[in-house]
Amino acid sequence: MNNWGWKERRDLSSWLIHFVHGRLPGARPYIDEDINGKLPEIIYIDESDIPSYFDENGNDIFLDTPYIDDDWKLADNAPPFDVLKKIVHDGFIQSTWAFRKGKPTIYGPYSAVCFTEMPLYALIDYAKKRGANRGYVGGYGIAVRRNEAYGAGARSVIYGLSGDRKEANYASLTCVKGFRLLDDSCGLGIEEQFRYVHTQLTGDKIVDWTFEREWRLPIKDDRWGSKAGLPILLDKEEYQTPFNEVVIIVNSNREKEEMLNQLVMMYNSGSTESGSQYDLDLIKKTGVMSVEQLENSTEDTLIRLESIRVSDNDLLKIPSVTNETLHKVKDVIASTQKVYDDAYSEFMNSNPGFEAYSYPISHVKVCTNDNTEYTQALVESNLANAYGENRYYIDVPCYFIGNEYMGKIVMNAVAEYLMKMFDQKFYVHVIPD
């Protein structure tokens, strides 16, 4: 079949979009019964205790690397844009068991990454309506080519069964495990159960998710190394990242600029702080679109990714640096030593007997968030590094570790000096020892 359908039919899309929503307590697992069958207060399970999948011998397999979350921690009630920024920073979409009200909705032994094949205009409309009512969906997402997701193992879900749904009797099972399994009588093999979505279109209680047009990609082995999910912006050679095109969707133009700045920092760092290498070529051509931008730039209310051309304004911009700027940043950074020494002496003179290495002990850094020619010159001179974070750490010669109170005062003098010399914002960032 050729591609004529995608051009002529507005209800179809050659893209899949991963919904990104805020973190909600109801989407986390919990125990709601004790061994006596009573209902105690809700007890949440630590997400690190949830396996990525179960193997053919019934063993629970954990692919998560604990320090991945340490790079970029999220609050339990993090809003969707914060969640999206973390996914982009990590370079992969984490798989889940899709807990709802504390219980998994994905059957079988494999967790999965979920997508929709709704066209973009339908996604935006659905996000507004369902997001306003339930909070599970927002106008945020990551879009990938459908054929590339299919090649990686994604499949459309199966809405309902020909017969009645019956869950397996765990007492009769030996090797096969999962949080929830369908009985053999349902006719859906263990390898395909991740695709099942409970559906009930008749009777008193209607359960209908068919309009989501969902796809799922199961995590059933370690083909992507330690990543408990699907790589999107990670190094192709190391992580077998399957995508050649990625579009990030945000709500507002302000969020778009913030996301483009984050991509610049990721490009400059080359990897996360924990060492996961990025696909720099893919980051350079990753588009960022805002719902606000799309709604204001077209008279066609049926916005489709197929009809949107990613322009230079939708891609990261790496500032070009002159030789003059390179020389200037090296000279200025070298001169911060005197600023530091003067501030240090002034503090000690004003606080006789103060112990510079007294509790609390912290590393005190000078940072900037601005992607300017000066920042780029610092990066190219190996005087700044982002480590995939939303800040650049400046490698000044006056490194401070000691009392946090003193460090903030002394290093803030260095930050103010850099602001004066480069006409951009610098600030102090504290890392407890």
Side-chain angles (χ1 to χ4, degrees), residues 24-302:
L24 298 172
R28 297 180 63 190
Y30 63 79
I31 299 170
D32 61 2
E33 288 186 357
D34 64 13
I35 56 175
N36 298 315
K38 296 179 182 178
L39 296 176
E41 293 182 7
I42 293 174
I43 302 173
Y44 288 100
I45 302 171
D46 191 299
E47 291 175 346
S48 64
D49 295 330
I50 306 299
S52 305
Y53 65 93
F54 297 88
D55 68 13
E56 66 274 11
N57 297 315
N59 301 313
D60 47 352
I61 306 298
F62 295 83
L63 291 177
D64 302 79
T65 306
Y67 53 69
I68 288 176
D69 277 341
D70 290 340
D71 276 6
W72 191 302
K73 283 189 175 294
L74 281 176
D76 287 341
N77 61 345
F81 185 50
D82 285 358
V83 176
L84 177 63
K85 287 189 293 183
K86 175 176 170 53
I87 293 172
V88 174
H89 160 267
D90 290 348
F92 74 100
I93 304 172
Q94 191 164 8
S95 64
T96 72
W97 297 90
F99 285 91
R100 293 291 181 268
K101 297 183 180 178
K103 307 217 170 171
T105 59
I106 292 182
Y107 287 73
Y110 313 128
S111 63
V113 176
C114 301
F115 299 90
T116 177
E117 66 169 333
M118 282 190 283
L120 187 57
Y121 69 86
L123 170 68
I124 293 170
D125 183 63
Y126 176 47
K128 288 179 179 177
K129 292 176 180 176
R130 189 179 179 215
N133 295 330
R134 300 287 299 279
Y136 278 114
V137 180
Y140 301 87
I142 299 174
V144 296
R145 285 290 183 181
R146 195 175 79 133
N147 63 321
E148 291 180 341
Y150 181 90
R155 296 294 184 270
S156 56
V157 303
I158 299 169
Y159 289 108
L161 300 166
S162 298
D164 294 333
R165 177 186 61 168
K166 179 181 179 183
E167 298 202 20
N169 179 359
Y170 283 84
S172 66
L173 298 174
T174 52
C175 290
V176 176
K177 287 185 179 179
F179 288 107
R180 300 178 78 177
L181 297 172
L182 294 171
D183 188 77
D184 289 343
S185 63
C186 293
L188 196 58
I190 198 70
E191 287 293 316
E192 302 297 331
Q193 287 196 19
F194 73 93
R195 300 173 64 183
Y196 170 71
V197 176
H198 176 53
T199 303
Q200 180 67 47
L201 301 183
T202 58
D204 296 332
K205 186 176 181 180
I206 302 298
V207 180
D208 182 8
W209 298 105
T210 56
F211 51 83
E212 285 198 340
R213 295 169 63 171
E214 186 177 354
W215 283 57
R216 290 176 179 172
L217 188 148
I219 303 302
K220 57 176 66 177
D221 52 39
D222 60 354
R223 75 182 73 179
W224 292 303
S226 63
K227 304 307 179 194
L230 178 65
I232 50 170
L233 293 174
L234 295 178
D235 181 71
K236 278 186 167 54
E237 184 173 341
E238 183 175 356
Y239 298 102
Q240 307 303 307
T241 306
F243 302 114
N244 294 299
E245 290 183 84
V246 175
V247 175
I248 300 169
I249 302 165
V250 298
N251 260 338
S252 68
N253 291 334
R254 178 192 60 78
E255 291 169 336
K256 172 182 173 177
E257 291 306 311
E258 186 173 337
M259 181 60 71
L260 288 171
N261 281 333
Q262 178 176 325
L263 290 173
V264 173
M265 293 183 184
M266 290 168 58
Y267 181 86
N268 280 328
S269 67
S271 71
T272 65
E273 189 170 9
S274 55
S276 298
Q277 299 295 313
Y278 292 130
D279 183 337
L280 301 185
D281 289 337
L282 184 53
I283 286 177
K284 283 184 72 173
K285 63 181 183 181
T286 293
V288 181
M289 301 284 186
S290 75
V291 174
E292 179 183 354
Q293 162 198 358
L294 296 174
E295 290 180 332
N296 292 336
S297 64
T298 178
E299 296 178 359
D300 188 349
T301 58
L302 299 185

Side-chain angles (χ1 to χ4, degrees), residues 349-422:
N349 291 334
S350 302
N351 300 272
F354 188 88
E355 291 291 336
Y357 206 76
S358 58
Y359 182 81
I361 303 298
S362 297
H363 301 259
V364 184
K365 307 278 191 177
V366 174
C367 301
T368 186
N369 292 0
D370 297 344
N371 286 308
T372 66
E373 182 184 357
Y374 287 123
T375 302
Q376 192 64 33
L378 289 167
V379 170
E380 294 179 14
S381 301
N382 295 317
L383 294 172
N385 201 309
Y387 299 112
E389 297 182 55
N390 254 1
R391 66 171 60 91
Y392 291 96
Y393 293 91
I394 311 304
D395 187 17
V396 291
C398 38
Y399 180 82
F400 186 94
I401 177 172
N403 177 269
E404 181 177 309
Y405 170 73
M406 176 184 179
K408 287 180 178 178
I409 293 175
V410 172
M411 295 305 285
N412 190 59
V414 177
E416 290 180 350
Y417 173 73
L418 292 177
M419 281 194 283
K420 178 180 177 181
M421 299 303 293
F422 295 144

